[in-house]
Amino acid sequence: MDDDVFHGQIQTIEYKIMSTFLITGAGGYIGTTLCDLLLKNGHKVIGLDRFFFGENLLKETLDNPNYTLIKQDIRYVEPSLFQGVDGVCDLAALSNDPCGDLDPALTRSINFDGRARISRLAKEAGVPRYVLASSCSVYGAGTGKASSEETTPNPLTVYAECNVKAEQAAFSLCDENYCVTALRLATVYGLSKRMRFDLAVNIMTYHAFSNNEIQITGGGEQWRPFVHVKDAARAFASVLESDTDLVSGEVFNVGATDHNFQIATLAYLIREELPFPVQVNHVLSDPDRRDYNVNFRKISEILGFELENSPMDGAKEIYEALKVNAVKFEPKTVTVKWYKYLVDADEIIKSVKLNGRLLG
Protein backbone atom coordinates (compact mmCIF):
# COMPACT_ATOMS: atom_id res chain seq x y z
CA MET A 1 0.00 0.00 0.00
CA ASP A 2 1.24 3.50 -0.86
CA ASP A 3 2.47 5.29 2.29
CA ASP A 4 0.48 8.44 1.53
CA VAL A 5 -2.70 6.42 1.07
CA PHE A 6 -1.99 4.50 4.28
CA HIS A 7 -1.42 7.66 6.31
CA GLY A 8 -4.52 9.23 4.74
CA GLN A 9 -6.61 6.29 5.94
CA ILE A 10 -5.13 6.59 9.43
CA GLN A 11 -5.99 10.29 9.51
CA THR A 12 -9.55 9.55 8.39
CA ILE A 13 -9.94 6.95 11.13
CA GLU A 14 -8.54 9.33 13.74
CA TYR A 15 -10.92 12.05 12.56
CA LYS A 16 -13.89 9.77 13.03
CA ILE A 17 -12.96 8.62 16.52
CA MET A 18 -11.30 11.72 18.00
CA SER A 19 -13.27 14.72 16.73
CA THR A 20 -14.70 17.49 18.88
CA PHE A 21 -18.30 18.35 18.07
CA LEU A 22 -20.30 21.28 19.35
CA ILE A 23 -23.99 20.44 19.75
CA THR A 24 -26.41 23.32 20.21
CA GLY A 25 -29.73 22.31 21.74
CA ALA A 26 -27.80 19.63 23.63
CA GLY A 27 -30.37 19.50 26.41
CA GLY A 28 -33.27 18.82 24.05
CA TYR A 29 -35.20 15.79 22.88
CA ILE A 30 -32.80 14.93 20.06
CA GLY A 31 -29.76 16.71 21.49
CA THR A 32 -29.47 14.55 24.61
CA THR A 33 -29.68 11.41 22.47
CA LEU A 34 -27.16 12.71 19.93
CA CYS A 35 -24.62 13.71 22.57
CA ASP A 36 -24.69 10.23 24.07
CA LEU A 37 -24.30 8.62 20.64
CA LEU A 38 -21.32 10.78 19.70
CA LEU A 39 -19.66 10.08 23.05
CA LYS A 40 -20.25 6.37 22.52
CA ASN A 41 -18.62 6.69 19.09
CA GLY A 42 -15.47 8.07 20.72
CA HIS A 43 -15.88 11.78 20.10
CA LYS A 44 -15.54 14.76 22.41
CA VAL A 45 -18.76 16.73 22.79
CA ILE A 46 -19.45 20.29 23.82
CA GLY A 47 -23.11 20.49 24.83
CA LEU A 48 -24.52 24.01 24.47
CA ASP A 49 -28.03 24.82 25.71
CA ARG A 50 -30.03 27.03 28.04
CA PHE A 51 -31.12 23.76 29.70
CA PHE A 52 -34.66 25.01 30.36
CA PHE A 53 -35.67 21.40 31.01
CA GLY A 54 -32.95 20.85 33.61
CA GLU A 55 -29.40 19.55 33.71
CA ASN A 56 -30.28 16.65 36.00
CA LEU A 57 -31.81 14.73 33.09
CA LEU A 58 -28.34 14.35 31.54
CA LYS A 59 -27.45 11.81 34.25
CA GLU A 60 -24.32 9.82 33.32
CA THR A 61 -23.55 12.13 30.39
CA LEU A 62 -22.20 14.69 32.86
CA ASP A 63 -19.81 12.11 34.27
CA ASN A 64 -18.20 11.47 30.88
CA PRO A 65 -14.77 13.20 30.76
CA ASN A 66 -15.27 13.85 27.03
CA TYR A 67 -18.42 15.93 27.66
CA THR A 68 -18.34 19.66 28.36
CA LEU A 69 -21.54 21.47 29.34
CA ILE A 70 -21.96 25.11 28.30
CA LYS A 71 -25.09 26.83 29.64
CA GLN A 72 -25.61 29.71 27.23
CA ASP A 73 -27.99 31.13 24.63
CA ILE A 74 -27.00 30.66 20.97
CA ARG A 75 -27.79 34.33 20.35
CA TYR A 76 -25.02 35.49 22.68
CA VAL A 77 -22.24 32.88 22.72
CA GLU A 78 -18.68 34.12 22.28
CA PRO A 79 -16.78 33.30 19.05
CA SER A 80 -14.01 31.72 21.14
CA LEU A 81 -16.32 28.78 21.87
CA PHE A 82 -15.74 27.49 18.32
CA GLN A 83 -11.96 27.22 18.59
CA GLY A 84 -10.76 23.65 18.13
CA VAL A 85 -14.19 22.42 17.08
CA ASP A 86 -14.34 19.95 14.17
CA GLY A 87 -18.05 20.18 13.51
CA VAL A 88 -21.25 21.86 14.69
CA CYS A 89 -24.68 20.25 14.91
CA ASP A 90 -27.16 23.09 15.27
CA LEU A 91 -30.28 21.75 17.00
CA ALA A 92 -31.12 24.77 19.16
CA ALA A 93 -34.64 25.99 18.43
CA LEU A 94 -38.07 26.53 19.88
CA SER A 95 -39.38 23.19 18.69
CA ASN A 96 -42.52 22.47 16.65
CA ASP A 97 -45.34 24.57 15.24
CA PRO A 98 -47.34 25.32 18.46
CA CYS A 99 -44.18 26.58 20.19
CA GLY A 100 -43.39 28.77 17.19
CA ASP A 101 -46.84 30.33 17.34
CA LEU A 102 -46.57 31.03 21.08
CA ASP A 103 -44.21 33.97 20.44
CA PRO A 104 -43.42 34.42 16.72
CA ALA A 105 -40.88 37.20 17.31
CA LEU A 106 -38.94 35.09 19.83
CA THR A 107 -39.12 32.10 17.50
CA ARG A 108 -37.61 34.11 14.64
CA SER A 109 -34.95 35.47 16.98
CA ILE A 110 -33.80 31.98 17.99
CA ASN A 111 -34.75 29.67 15.13
CA PHE A 112 -33.55 31.96 12.35
CA ASP A 113 -31.33 34.76 13.67
CA GLY A 114 -29.71 32.59 16.32
CA ARG A 115 -28.92 29.69 14.03
CA ALA A 116 -27.75 31.98 11.22
CA ARG A 117 -25.36 33.49 13.77
CA ILE A 118 -24.07 30.06 14.82
CA SER A 119 -23.36 29.03 11.23
CA ARG A 120 -21.56 32.32 10.56
CA LEU A 121 -19.44 32.15 13.74
CA ALA A 122 -18.52 28.54 12.99
CA LYS A 123 -17.23 29.47 9.55
CA GLU A 124 -15.33 32.49 10.82
CA ALA A 125 -13.63 30.28 13.41
CA GLY A 126 -12.53 27.80 10.75
CA VAL A 127 -14.86 24.98 11.77
CA PRO A 128 -14.96 22.67 8.72
CA ARG A 129 -18.49 21.23 9.15
CA TYR A 130 -21.91 22.56 10.03
CA VAL A 131 -25.09 20.47 10.17
CA LEU A 132 -28.46 22.15 10.57
CA ALA A 133 -31.48 20.44 12.11
CA SER A 134 -34.36 21.35 9.82
CA SER A 135 -37.76 19.72 9.42
CA CYS A 136 -39.99 18.06 6.85
CA SER A 137 -42.61 20.56 8.04
CA VAL A 138 -41.09 22.94 5.46
CA TYR A 139 -43.18 21.07 2.85
CA GLY A 140 -46.36 22.31 4.54
CA ALA A 141 -49.26 21.19 2.37
CA GLY A 142 -48.27 18.40 0.02
CA THR A 143 -48.83 18.36 -3.70
CA GLY A 144 -50.38 14.90 -3.78
CA LYS A 145 -47.08 13.11 -4.29
CA ALA A 146 -44.18 12.48 -1.94
CA SER A 147 -42.04 15.56 -1.38
CA SER A 148 -38.34 15.18 -2.15
CA GLU A 149 -35.42 17.45 -1.42
CA GLU A 150 -36.10 19.07 -4.81
CA THR A 151 -39.67 20.00 -3.87
CA THR A 152 -40.13 23.73 -3.32
CA PRO A 153 -40.81 24.35 0.39
CA ASN A 154 -44.29 25.57 1.29
CA PRO A 155 -44.03 26.57 4.97
CA LEU A 156 -47.37 27.15 6.70
CA THR A 157 -46.10 28.15 10.15
CA VAL A 158 -43.50 30.43 11.72
CA TYR A 159 -41.53 27.35 12.82
CA ALA A 160 -41.38 25.97 9.27
CA GLU A 161 -40.64 29.38 7.78
CA CYS A 162 -37.66 29.82 10.12
CA ASN A 163 -36.29 26.43 9.10
CA VAL A 164 -36.34 27.46 5.45
CA LYS A 165 -34.60 30.76 6.18
CA ALA A 166 -32.01 29.11 8.43
CA GLU A 167 -31.21 26.64 5.64
CA GLN A 168 -30.76 29.47 3.17
CA ALA A 169 -28.51 31.42 5.53
CA ALA A 170 -26.29 28.42 6.18
CA PHE A 171 -26.00 27.34 2.54
CA SER A 172 -25.00 30.88 1.53
CA LEU A 173 -21.79 30.28 3.52
CA CYS A 174 -21.00 26.86 2.05
CA ASP A 175 -17.71 26.57 0.14
CA GLU A 176 -14.82 24.17 -0.35
CA ASN A 177 -13.58 24.85 3.19
CA TYR A 178 -16.95 24.92 4.93
CA CYS A 179 -19.19 21.88 4.55
CA VAL A 180 -22.85 22.71 5.19
CA THR A 181 -25.59 20.08 5.37
CA ALA A 182 -29.26 20.36 6.35
CA LEU A 183 -31.27 17.44 7.69
CA ARG A 184 -35.03 17.74 7.29
CA LEU A 185 -36.34 15.46 10.00
CA ALA A 186 -39.61 13.58 9.88
CA THR A 187 -41.83 13.85 12.97
CA VAL A 188 -39.75 12.39 15.77
CA TYR A 189 -40.92 9.93 18.43
CA GLY A 190 -39.53 7.51 21.01
CA LEU A 191 -37.90 7.59 24.44
CA SER A 192 -35.39 10.30 25.27
CA LYS A 193 -33.81 11.67 28.43
CA ARG A 194 -35.66 14.92 27.66
CA MET A 195 -38.96 13.15 27.13
CA ARG A 196 -41.73 14.77 25.09
CA PHE A 197 -45.41 13.87 25.16
CA ASP A 198 -46.41 16.48 22.58
CA LEU A 199 -45.43 14.31 19.59
CA ALA A 200 -47.94 12.14 17.77
CA VAL A 201 -46.68 8.64 18.56
CA ASN A 202 -45.71 9.54 22.13
CA ILE A 203 -48.96 11.26 23.10
CA MET A 204 -51.13 8.60 21.45
CA THR A 205 -49.32 5.94 23.47
CA TYR A 206 -49.64 7.93 26.69
CA HIS A 207 -53.39 8.48 26.27
CA ALA A 208 -53.87 4.83 25.40
CA PHE A 209 -51.98 3.85 28.56
CA SER A 210 -53.66 6.32 30.90
CA ASN A 211 -57.18 6.52 29.43
CA ASN A 212 -57.52 3.45 27.17
CA GLU A 213 -58.26 5.94 24.42
CA ILE A 214 -56.51 7.55 21.47
CA GLN A 215 -58.00 10.80 20.24
CA ILE A 216 -57.61 11.82 16.60
CA THR A 217 -57.62 15.55 15.88
CA GLY A 218 -57.24 17.58 12.70
CA GLY A 219 -59.40 15.20 10.70
CA GLY A 220 -57.03 12.24 10.76
CA GLU A 221 -56.49 12.10 7.00
CA GLN A 222 -53.39 14.31 7.08
CA TRP A 223 -50.12 12.58 6.21
CA ARG A 224 -46.95 12.69 8.31
CA PRO A 225 -43.59 10.94 8.05
CA PHE A 226 -42.03 9.55 11.26
CA VAL A 227 -38.52 8.86 12.59
CA HIS A 228 -37.35 7.49 15.93
CA VAL A 229 -35.21 9.87 18.00
CA LYS A 230 -32.35 7.35 17.98
CA ASP A 231 -32.50 7.13 14.18
CA ALA A 232 -32.52 10.93 13.98
CA ALA A 233 -29.37 11.02 16.11
CA ARG A 234 -27.78 8.36 13.90
CA ALA A 235 -28.48 10.53 10.85
CA PHE A 236 -26.55 13.45 12.36
CA ALA A 237 -23.65 11.18 13.32
CA SER A 238 -23.65 9.68 9.83
CA VAL A 239 -23.33 13.12 8.22
CA LEU A 240 -20.59 14.19 10.63
CA GLU A 241 -18.61 11.04 9.90
CA SER A 242 -19.13 11.02 6.11
CA ASP A 243 -16.76 12.38 3.48
CA THR A 244 -17.51 16.03 2.85
CA ASP A 245 -17.82 15.34 -0.89
CA LEU A 246 -20.97 13.35 -0.15
CA VAL A 247 -22.73 15.84 2.10
CA SER A 248 -21.46 19.36 1.40
CA GLY A 249 -24.21 21.65 0.16
CA GLU A 250 -26.79 18.88 0.47
CA VAL A 251 -30.24 18.64 2.01
CA PHE A 252 -31.37 15.22 3.22
CA ASN A 253 -34.86 14.18 4.30
CA VAL A 254 -34.47 11.90 7.31
CA GLY A 255 -36.96 9.06 7.58
CA ALA A 256 -38.20 6.20 5.41
CA THR A 257 -40.78 6.19 2.65
CA ASP A 258 -42.74 3.32 4.22
CA HIS A 259 -42.95 5.29 7.48
CA ASN A 260 -45.36 7.86 6.06
CA PHE A 261 -48.76 7.43 7.73
CA GLN A 262 -52.07 9.19 7.87
CA ILE A 263 -52.72 10.17 11.47
CA ALA A 264 -55.83 7.98 11.77
CA THR A 265 -53.92 4.97 10.42
CA LEU A 266 -51.12 5.61 12.89
CA ALA A 267 -53.61 5.57 15.77
CA TYR A 268 -54.94 2.16 14.78
CA LEU A 269 -51.45 0.74 14.27
CA ILE A 270 -50.45 1.87 17.75
CA ARG A 271 -53.64 0.41 19.21
CA GLU A 272 -52.79 -2.99 17.72
CA GLU A 273 -49.34 -2.95 19.39
CA LEU A 274 -50.64 -2.47 22.91
CA PRO A 275 -51.66 -5.46 25.05
CA PHE A 276 -54.95 -4.01 26.31
CA PRO A 277 -58.18 -2.65 24.81
CA VAL A 278 -57.92 0.85 23.35
CA GLN A 279 -60.71 2.94 21.88
CA VAL A 280 -59.89 5.19 18.91
CA ASN A 281 -62.08 8.30 18.75
CA HIS A 282 -62.23 11.21 16.34
CA VAL A 283 -62.45 14.56 18.12
CA LEU A 284 -64.16 17.52 16.52
CA SER A 285 -61.43 20.06 15.73
CA ASP A 286 -60.18 22.39 13.05
CA PRO A 287 -58.68 20.64 10.00
CA ASP A 288 -54.88 20.36 10.08
CA ARG A 289 -53.55 22.13 6.98
CA ARG A 290 -50.15 20.49 7.43
CA ASP A 291 -50.41 17.46 5.17
CA TYR A 292 -47.35 15.94 3.55
CA ASN A 293 -45.72 12.62 2.84
CA VAL A 294 -42.05 12.55 2.01
CA ASN A 295 -39.57 10.70 -0.19
CA PHE A 296 -36.44 9.54 1.66
CA ARG A 297 -34.58 7.83 -1.17
CA LYS A 298 -31.68 10.30 -1.25
CA ILE A 299 -30.25 9.65 2.22
CA SER A 300 -30.51 5.92 1.63
CA GLU A 301 -28.77 6.00 -1.74
CA ILE A 302 -26.00 8.47 -0.86
CA LEU A 303 -25.24 7.61 2.78
CA GLY A 304 -26.68 4.09 2.99
CA PHE A 305 -28.80 5.31 5.89
CA GLU A 306 -31.77 3.14 6.89
CA LEU A 307 -34.10 3.33 9.86
CA GLU A 308 -33.75 0.79 12.65
CA ASN A 309 -37.05 1.53 14.39
CA SER A 310 -40.74 1.93 13.54
CA PRO A 311 -43.53 3.92 15.23
CA MET A 312 -44.86 0.65 16.56
CA ASP A 313 -41.49 -0.03 18.19
CA GLY A 314 -41.69 3.42 19.72
CA ALA A 315 -45.17 2.80 21.08
CA LYS A 316 -44.05 -0.47 22.69
CA GLU A 317 -40.98 1.06 24.36
CA ILE A 318 -42.96 4.02 25.68
CA TYR A 319 -45.65 1.70 27.04
CA GLU A 320 -43.02 -0.40 28.81
CA ALA A 321 -41.43 2.73 30.30
CA LEU A 322 -44.79 4.08 31.49
CA LYS A 323 -45.68 0.73 33.00
CA VAL A 324 -42.64 0.76 35.30
CA ASN A 325 -42.85 4.53 35.95
CA ALA A 326 -39.57 5.14 34.13
CA VAL A 327 -41.14 8.16 32.40
CA LYS A 328 -43.93 10.44 33.58
CA PHE A 329 -46.31 12.85 31.95
CA GLU A 330 -45.55 16.23 33.55
CA PRO A 331 -45.43 19.91 32.52
CA LYS A 332 -41.86 19.67 31.22
CA THR A 333 -42.83 16.91 28.80
CA VAL A 334 -45.26 19.15 26.89
CA THR A 335 -42.96 21.69 25.30
CA VAL A 336 -45.40 24.49 24.51
CA LYS A 337 -46.91 24.37 28.02
CA TRP A 338 -43.47 24.46 29.64
CA TYR A 339 -42.34 27.39 27.46
CA LYS A 340 -45.57 29.23 28.32
CA TYR A 341 -44.94 28.58 32.00
CA LEU A 342 -41.41 29.99 31.67
CA VAL A 343 -42.66 33.04 29.77
CA ASP A 344 -45.39 33.69 32.35
CA ALA A 345 -42.95 33.17 35.23
CA ASP A 346 -40.50 35.59 33.65
CA GLU A 347 -43.23 38.21 33.29
CA ILE A 348 -44.24 37.73 36.94
CA ILE A 349 -40.63 38.16 38.09
CA LYS A 350 -40.23 41.31 36.00
CA SER A 351 -43.48 42.68 37.40
CA VAL A 352 -42.45 41.96 40.98
CA LYS A 353 -39.08 43.65 40.46
CA LEU A 354 -40.71 46.68 38.84
CA ASN A 355 -43.34 47.00 41.56
CA GLY A 356 -40.63 46.62 44.17
CA ARG A 357 -38.71 49.53 42.69
CA LEU A 358 -41.86 51.64 42.47
CA LEU A 359 -42.84 50.89 46.05
CA GLY A 360 -39.30 51.47 47.29
Side-chain angles (χ1 to χ4, degrees):
M1 179 182 293
D2 182 272
D3 282 346
D4 290 339
V5 173
F6 175 76
H7 288 303
Q9 289 183 353
I10 293 296
Q11 290 173 358
T12 299
I13 293 171
E14 288 179 349
Y15 176 81
K16 288 184 176 179
I17 66 173
M18 298 180 64
S19 298
T20 297
F21 295 126
L22 170 64
I23 312 301
T24 74
Y29 184 63
I30 300 172
T32 52
T33 304
L34 176 59
C35 286
D36 285 344
L37 176 61
L38 293 174
L39 290 168
K40 180 181 177 182
N41 287 357
H43 301 295
K44 293 183 178 180
V45 173
I46 301 171
L48 171 67
D49 204 307
R50 288 291 302 276
F51 294 99
F52 283 132
F53 299 92
E55 298 170 33
N56 58 316
L57 53 79
L58 298 179
K59 300 177 182 177
E60 68 275 4
T61 306
L62 293 173
D63 296 327
N64 192 311
N66 287 327
Y67 182 79
T68 302
L69 183 148
I70 304 292
K71 192 173 184 178
Q72 288 187 26
D73 189 311
I74 61 169
R75 296 169 293 175
Y76 312 116
V77 294
E78 295 295 327
S80 58
L81 181 63
F82 297 85
Q83 296 301 318
V85 171
D86 298 302
V88 173
C89 274
D90 203 355
L91 283 74
L94 295 182
S95 57
N96 77 21
D97 297 306
C99 292
D101 294 337
L102 182 64
D103 188 334
L106 180 61
T107 299
R108 292 187 178 97
S109 173
I110 296 172
N111 292 22
F112 170 50
D113 296 330
R115 293 193 291 175
R117 180 175 185 268
I118 291 293
S119 60
R120 176 176 54 80
L121 290 178
K123 180 172 183 175
E124 291 174 352
V127 177
R129 292 174 181 257
Y130 173 86
V131 186
L132 176 70
S134 187
S135 168
C136 286
S137 67
V138 301
Y139 299 120
T143 60
K145 66 182 204 177
S147 299
S148 74
E149 292 82 354
E150 302 302 317
T151 301
T152 301
N154 181 28
L156 299 178
T157 63
V158 173
Y159 171 74
E161 170 198 315
C162 287
N163 277 312
V164 173
K165 291 184 175 180
E167 287 182 14
Q168 293 169 344
F171 282 124
S172 72
L173 303 173
C174 184
D175 60 30
E176 61 183 8
N177 297 313
Y178 190 53
C179 172
V180 174
T181 311
L183 298 185
R184 292 176 180 166
L185 302 175
T187 300
V188 191
Y189 63 88
L191 287 176
S192 167
K193 286 180 176 178
R194 202 301 253 186
M195 190 56 190
R196 288 180 60 182
F197 281 112
D198 54 353
L199 299 165
V201 172
N202 299 5
I203 192 61
M204 285 182 180
T205 306
Y206 171 75
H207 282 312
F209 174 81
S210 61
N211 305 318
N212 295 99
E213 178 188 28
I214 296 176
Q215 295 185 344
I216 298 173
T217 60
E221 296 183 0
Q222 66 272 34
W223 286 88
R224 290 286 192 285
F226 293 91
V227 62
H228 194 286
V229 64
K230 290 181 180 178
D231 287 322
R234 287 177 48 244
F236 283 101
S238 178
V239 168
L240 287 170
E241 296 175 349
S242 293
D243 292 338
T244 56
D245 290 346
L246 293 176
V247 298
S248 186
E250 298 291 343
V251 175
F252 293 99
N253 294 331
V254 180
T257 302
D258 60 354
H259 287 198
N260 287 287
F261 298 100
Q262 288 178 290
I263 293 299
T265 301
L266 178 70
Y268 286 104
L269 288 171
I270 289 175
R271 182 183 73 171
E272 294 306 310
E273 288 299 321
L274 300 176
F276 52 85
V278 176
Q279 183 75 31
V280 176
N281 294 319
H282 286 259
V283 177
L284 185 62
S285 61
D286 293 332
D288 191 341
R289 294 188 302 144
R290 299 166 301 159
D291 179 18
Y292 50 89
N293 57 50
V294 179
N295 183 305
F296 298 97
R297 187 178 302 115
K298 181 178 178 180
I299 195 169
S300 175
E301 292 179 348
I302 294 180
L303 299 183
F305 180 82
E306 304 291 345
L307 300 189
E308 294 181 352
N309 304 275
S310 72
M312 287 64 77
D313 296 326
K316 285 188 287 188
E317 72 175 4
I318 292 169
Y319 161 68
E320 293 295 335
L322 288 167
K323 187 171 64 173
V324 298
N325 210 30
V327 293
K328 297 179 181 179
F329 185 94
E330 55 187 353
K332 286 185 179 181
T333 63
V334 182
T335 307
V336 69
K337 289 184 178 180
W338 187 244
Y339 284 154
K340 190 174 187 308
Y341 164 78
L342 294 174
V343 169
D344 291 345
D346 186 56
E347 291 301 317
I348 291 170
I349 291 170
K350 288 179 180 177
S351 176
V352 169
K353 287 182 177 178
L354 176 61
N355 288 333
R357 286 197 295 270
L358 292 175
L359 292 171

